[in-house]
Amino acid sequence: MANQNTAFGLRPIGLNGSSANSTGVTQYEIASDNTNAIFQNSAVIPLAAGVIDIVGAANGGTVPALGVLIGVEYVDSSSKKTVFKNFWPGANNVSVDTNFPVKAFVADDPNQLFLIAADGSSTDRATALSNIFANVSLANGTSGSTNTGRSTAEMDISTVATTATLFLRVVGLTGDDANLDFDAAGVNYVVRFNFHHNAPVAASASQTTSLSTGI
């Protein structure tokens, strides 16, 4: 039986300690000339210019994650109307009035937990359980669908290891039976960022730390 939900990015599901998602979204900005598509549930990073971008925009993926994009708001230069989207299509695909900021809403709590689908088989439950408390890379971290606006990032199951520089920490398995076919891709894991910009030890946007996103 195949798993139902695959490649949906990093979906916020709550905070450490079972706290609900309620006020964990902060408003940032995207540069109006940024041509990178940034999809809903994509990991984003802070830049020294004071704006955010999709993970992988830093050389080598060396900037700690800020969170995941939830949606954007900007003013259309033709209609002068405010536009709301669940993703940023890139400056070459929208008409933006640069007199107004491109607002980006990010789930940026350093204690945020996410659901993510594995890109390969977890073999069996015992193997899947052994992945918990390990670290792992992100696969297809900058990819997404322009039809749905959602990320298609996954957990790179082949990279599970104790390596401290890997992008994500695995903290659990989904309780959804529809996504627990261990012989197929798409088993849903609960993860958090290993390195977070808002965590006490994180570097500033103008600094770098050694980490591997595996995008």
Side-chain angles (χ1 to χ4, degrees), residues 106-132:
V106 177
D108 66 343
D109 193 306
N111 294 312
Q112 183 73 57
L113 300 178
F114 306 95
L115 202 64
I116 190 170
D119 67 349
S121 168
S122 300
T123 309
D124 53 39
R125 179 171 172 78
T127 302
L129 282 175
S130 71
N131 293 333
I132 297 175

Side-chain angles (χ1 to χ4, degrees), residues 116-200:
I116 190 170
D119 67 349
S121 168
S122 300
T123 309
D124 53 39
R125 179 171 172 78
T127 302
L129 282 175
S130 71
N131 293 333
I132 297 175
F133 306 131
N135 301 321
V136 68
S137 287
L138 191 64
N140 304 314
T142 61
S143 300
S145 168
T146 55
N147 292 324
T148 65
R150 290 192 293 270
S151 169
T152 52
E154 299 173 283
M155 187 178 98
D156 187 347
I157 195 74
S158 68
T159 66
V160 172
T162 58
T163 308
T165 56
L166 294 175
F167 194 55
L168 301 171
R169 169 71 52 84
V170 183
V171 298
L173 279 169
T174 179
D176 180 7
D177 291 339
N179 292 290
L180 282 175
D181 181 357
F182 300 109
D183 289 327
V187 169
N188 289 183
Y189 285 85
V190 180
V191 299
R192 60 173 297 170
F193 290 122
N194 238 350
F195 301 91
H196 198 289
H197 178 73
N198 289 337

Side-chain angles (χ1 to χ4, degrees), residues 64-82:
L66 179 64
V68 301
L69 185 73
I70 301 302
V72 301
E73 174 189 324
Y74 61 89
V75 175
D76 183 271
S77 61
S78 299
S79 67
K80 304 301 180 183
K81 293 182 178 180
T82 301

